């Protein structure tokens, strides 16, 4: 069984989003996604200040087995990336909702968060 | 509905993540592929390879038949149980499958790939014409690969502590690339990992007990994922990736498995292979180590400046080397460096002779 925290939002492509106090949004991949991938050995992150559109492939996560794209869940701008992840990609397996965040973004439209999947909706997607 | 091996229940109990592999429900890993890989390099792991196809070949023409069927020459097998690796070629010299053949008391035993079973059996049946041979598939035998530096000692220990001292003795006295029968089992010192170890064929109803004994003796269950990274580090080909019906053994690093002597032996594909060898310009299979960032994968393009292009046939992340490694088919004139197109970017790679790893040690640098 995979862990799906109640306080996060989700998209079908298995990214999670967390609304921070300053209004920015942190993005990573779900526990379900890391289980499907297996041992993660490589991560490539977007560049800070990149303007992204919804569904753009902006990062890569690779396990021993396969490569998988990470998509921008909503339109906006990348304001921070988790550079520590590049040297410790195994964190994606160990702590997908914590240390293994991928990037932080400023949304073009803050209301877009309301359109995303709840934990229950996402759990149904994973069945 | 996918087929299950006799160990299906044991895989689930060990936490195996099951996937479809050539029509079989097989474990890809039991939690961590890398941990399983390292266990085999450092101690011992066990793989269920019961999906592979065992075919016994008997009859008065068995030897002559195999001398036609295989590019390697079974006449090299002089002592009981001795084994040989070979390609089974079509008339154009392409590889129908790669296999291992053991000399047995009443003929030969071959082990061929699971994904190629139907076409292999059809070809072997068709080639039988004019020869007095019988082909007998052995689906009632399960097969385990117990691999790693402590594999043989652990198996011998299990036999000793369960009153099977004669089997313990057999295991400890096996030569490399030799397989012998004992009490309905067939135990061979062969493998697909680059480590010492055994491949053991066991009557299906006895395999679960042996599996449990291995696990109780700290042998790590290992899945198809680790099997692939181990064989790639060991520079061993995977059928369907590194060669297929359209690729000659000369282009797949299998030149050493072609027995050219005696010159009068007419094995399938000999004439086109001889012409290819004479021409001396066919591509070669090499090892690559990525120097920049990324992971090499099958079918990525290889660019050799001033020489031409090639292609990755198998690529992964090497747990032993902590780098991306690959096997690639490149132009013959390729030197010691190239570039690989990894997700749209050209990344520098070093060209090395295979294997990358043998007996737990990195040997390519």
């Amino acid at each position: 069984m995979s862990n799906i925290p109640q306080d996060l939002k989700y998209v079908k492509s298995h990214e999670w989003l967390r609304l921070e106090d300053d209004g920015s949004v942190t993005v990573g991949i779900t526990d379900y996604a890391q289980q499907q991938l297996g041992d993660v050995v490589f991560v490539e992150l977007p560049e800070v200040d990149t303007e992204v559109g919804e569904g753009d492939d902006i990062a890569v996560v690779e396990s021993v087995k396969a490569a998988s794209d990470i998509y921008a869940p909503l339109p906006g701008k990348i304001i921070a990336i988790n550079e520590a992840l590049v040297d410790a990609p195994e964190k994606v397996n160990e702590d997908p909702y914590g240390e293994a965040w991928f990037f932080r973004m400023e949304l073009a439209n803050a209301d877009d968060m309301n359109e995303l999947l709840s934990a229950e909706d996402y759990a149904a997607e994973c069945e | 509905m996918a087929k299950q091996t006799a160990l299906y229940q044991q895989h689930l109990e060990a936490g195996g993540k099951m996937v479809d592999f050539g029509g079989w429900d097989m474990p890809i890993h039991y939690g961590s592929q890398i941990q399983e890989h390292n266990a085999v390099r450092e101690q011992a792991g066990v793989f269920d390879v019961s999906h592979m196809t065992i075919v016994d070949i008997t009859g008065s023409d068995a030897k002559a038949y195999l001398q036609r069927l295989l590019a390697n020459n079974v006449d090299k097998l002089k002592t009981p149980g001795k084994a040989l690796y070979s390609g089974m070629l079509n008339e154009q010299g392409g590889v129908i499958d790669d296999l291992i053949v053991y000399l047995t008391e009443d003929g030969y035993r071959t082990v061929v790939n699971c994904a190629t079973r139907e076409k292999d059996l059809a070809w072997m049946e068709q080639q039988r014409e004019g020869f007095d041979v019988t082909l007998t598939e052995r689906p009632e035998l399960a097969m385990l690969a117990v691999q790693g530096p402590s594999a043989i000692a652990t198996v011998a220990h299990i036999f000793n502590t369960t009153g099977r001292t004669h089997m313990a003795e057999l295991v400890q006295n096996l030569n490399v690339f030799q397989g012998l029968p004992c009490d309905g089992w067939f135990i061979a010192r062969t493998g697909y990992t680059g480590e010492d170890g055994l491949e053991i064929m066991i009557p299906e109803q006895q395999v679960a007990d042996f599996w449990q004994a291995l696990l109780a003796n700290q042998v790590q269950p290992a899945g198809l994922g680790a099997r692939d990274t181990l064989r790639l580090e060991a520079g061993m080909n995977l059928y369907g990736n590194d060669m297929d019906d359209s690729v000659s053994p000369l282009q797949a690093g299998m030149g050493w498995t072609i027995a050219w002597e005696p010159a009068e032996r007419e094995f399938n594909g000999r004439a086109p292979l001889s012409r290819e060898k004479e021409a001396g310009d066919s591509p070669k299979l090499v090892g690559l180590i990525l120097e920049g960032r990324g992971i090499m994968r099958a079918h990525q393009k290889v660019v050799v400046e001033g020489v031409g292009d090639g292609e990755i046939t198998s690529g992964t992340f090497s747990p032993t080397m902590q780098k991306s490694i690959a096997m690639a088919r490149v132009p013959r004139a390729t030197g010691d460096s190239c570039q690989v197109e990894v997700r749209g970017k050209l990344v520098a790679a070093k060209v090395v002779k295979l294997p990358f790893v043998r007996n737990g040690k990195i040997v390519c640098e």
Side-chain angles (χ1 to χ4, degrees):
Chain A
M1 269 309 290
S2 66
N3 174 20
I4 305 175
Q6 286 294 326
D7 58 333
L8 303 180
K9 292 285 194 176
Y10 300 88
V11 288
K12 284 186 183 179
S13 52
H14 305 289
E15 288 88 10
W16 56 260
L17 296 87
R18 185 172 56 230
L19 184 61
E20 306 295 349
D21 293 340
D22 64 357
S24 70
V25 169
T26 304
V27 181
I29 70 166
T30 65
D31 187 38
Y32 177 84
Q34 70 80 14
Q35 282 180 21
Q36 292 298 310
L37 279 166
D39 294 308
V40 172
V41 292
F42 178 76
V43 168
E44 193 170 278
L45 299 170
E47 284 181 23
V48 172
D49 288 337
T50 315
E51 297 279 350
V52 299
E54 181 177 341
D56 290 356
D57 52 338
I58 56 169
V60 179
V61 56
E62 299 204 34
S63 67
V64 183
K65 185 167 75 181
S68 181
D69 289 313
I70 306 292
Y71 302 96
L74 292 170
K77 189 169 89 173
I78 306 294
I79 57 169
I81 56 173
N82 183 4
E83 287 187 59
L85 203 53
V86 171
D87 294 322
E90 67 278 4
K91 295 283 182 210
V92 176
N93 299 113
E94 294 163 5
D95 192 10
Y97 299 112
E99 278 192 79
W101 61 278
F102 277 64
F103 51 86
R104 203 160 284 150
M105 52 189 298
E106 196 174 85
L107 299 183
N109 179 2
D111 292 344
D112 285 349
M113 279 294 272
N114 302 325
E115 307 297 313
L116 303 179
L117 302 176
S118 66
E120 287 73 30
D121 297 338
Y122 178 66
E125 284 290 325
C126 295
E127 269 165 22
Chain B
M1 176 77 188
K3 287 182 274 189
Q4 299 176 351
T5 74
L7 290 172
Y8 183 76
Q9 217 43 50
Q10 280 70 23
H11 295 317
L12 296 184
E13 280 164 26
K17 182 173 156 58
M18 309 304 281
V19 298
D20 179 80
F21 183 83
W24 291 79
D25 225 347
M26 300 298 288
I28 183 91
H29 62 73
Y30 300 84
S32 167
Q33 171 176 343
I34 291 180
Q35 191 190 318
E36 292 160 25
H37 177 109
N38 292 338
V40 172
R41 286 271 176 261
E42 289 157 16
Q43 287 173 317
V46 57
F47 304 82
D48 179 10
V49 288
S50 305
H51 59 303
M52 296 194 75
T53 304
I54 304 168
V55 184
D56 286 340
I57 299 167
T58 51
S60 60
D61 292 335
K63 183 172 170 183
Y65 167 75
L66 285 169
Q67 285 187 298
R68 156 82 75 80
L69 196 71
L70 304 181
N72 213 335
N73 189 357
V74 293
D75 190 47
K76 290 179 189 170
L77 302 175
K78 302 290 189 195
T79 53
K82 191 71 189 141
L84 196 68
Y85 173 72
S86 181
M88 175 164 73
L89 309 185
N90 57 34
E91 274 143 10
Q92 295 73 46
V95 184
I96 296 172
D97 202 3
D98 63 333
L99 55 82
I100 190 162
V101 54
Y102 300 91
L103 179 65
T104 57
E105 256 175 31
D106 54 353
Y108 298 88
R109 168 163 286 183
T110 59
V111 181
V112 305
N113 280 301
C114 138
T116 50
R117 176 179 169 274
E118 271 78 33
K119 74 162 183 175
D120 288 356
L121 293 175
W123 175 255
M124 289 164 85
E125 188 56 41
Q126 185 202 321
Q127 291 289 306
R128 217 163 56 85
E129 204 190 316
F131 291 102
D132 169 33
V133 292
T134 306
L135 306 178
T136 313
E137 231 192 309
R138 302 297 304 271
E140 76 283 10
L141 292 176
M143 179 151 49
L144 296 182
V146 189
Q147 302 278 301
S150 68
I152 289 178
T154 305
V155 169
H157 172 78
I158 291 169
F159 287 147
N160 273 324
T161 50
T162 49
R164 290 174 283 184
T165 49
H166 59 298
M167 287 173 88
E169 245 170 72
L170 180 146
V171 160
Q172 284 164 315
N173 291 321
L174 276 178
N175 291 316
V176 171
F177 245 65
Q178 184 189 26
L180 291 169
C182 190
D183 295 357
W185 293 36
F186 185 89
I187 308 178
R189 194 165 164 194
T190 49
Y192 193 47
T193 61
E195 299 298 323
D196 203 354
L198 303 166
E199 291 179 303
I200 311 178
M201 301 169 202
I202 308 172
E204 257 184 353
Q205 57 281 19
Q206 296 175 41
V207 72
D209 282 350
F210 187 61
W211 169 271
Q212 294 301 356
L214 289 165
L215 267 53
N217 281 277
Q218 285 75 51
V219 177
Q220 166 74 48
L224 294 175
R227 187 167 160 81
D228 190 52
T229 49
L230 287 158
R231 71 91 194 166
L232 185 43
E233 285 185 352
M236 294 173 172
N237 289 5
L238 172 62
Y239 191 82
N241 269 47
D242 306 306
M243 74 293 201
D244 58 34
D245 303 88
S246 68
V247 174
S248 91
L250 294 169
Q251 305 180 18
M254 294 169 66
W256 63 278
T257 69
I258 305 169
W260 297 102
E261 298 296 327
E264 59 276 16
R265 185 175 69 96
E266 286 300 330
F267 60 88
N268 290 328
R270 176 164 194 140
L273 276 189
S274 300
R275 286 194 295 273
E276 189 186 335
K277 188 174 176 237
E278 195 74 21
D281 58 356
S282 51
K284 60 181 179 180
L285 194 74
V286 295
L288 302 184
I289 304 172
L290 199 66
E291 299 191 295
R293 284 179 41 77
I295 311 276
M296 295 182 283
R297 305 286 182 189
H299 308 304
Q300 286 171 347
K301 186 173 155 187
V302 179
V303 178
V304 190
E305 218 176 78
V307 177
D309 294 342
E311 187 178 298
I312 304 282
T313 55
S314 293
T316 193
F317 173 82
S318 158
T320 305
M321 297 169 65
Q322 293 287 305
K323 287 175 188 171
S324 178
I325 59 168
M327 285 159 80
R329 190 143 31 246
V330 296
R332 185 143 296 265
T334 300
D336 57 6
S337 68
C338 66
Q339 289 180 297
V340 181
E341 200 176 300
V342 181
R343 301 181 64 89
K345 286 180 213 154
L346 284 176
V347 184
K350 192 160 96 174
V351 180
V352 298
K353 208 167 165 288
L354 295 164
F356 299 99
V357 178
R358 263 300 139 89
N359 297 317
K361 301 221 167 38
I362 297 167
V363 293
C364 60
E365 294 177 306

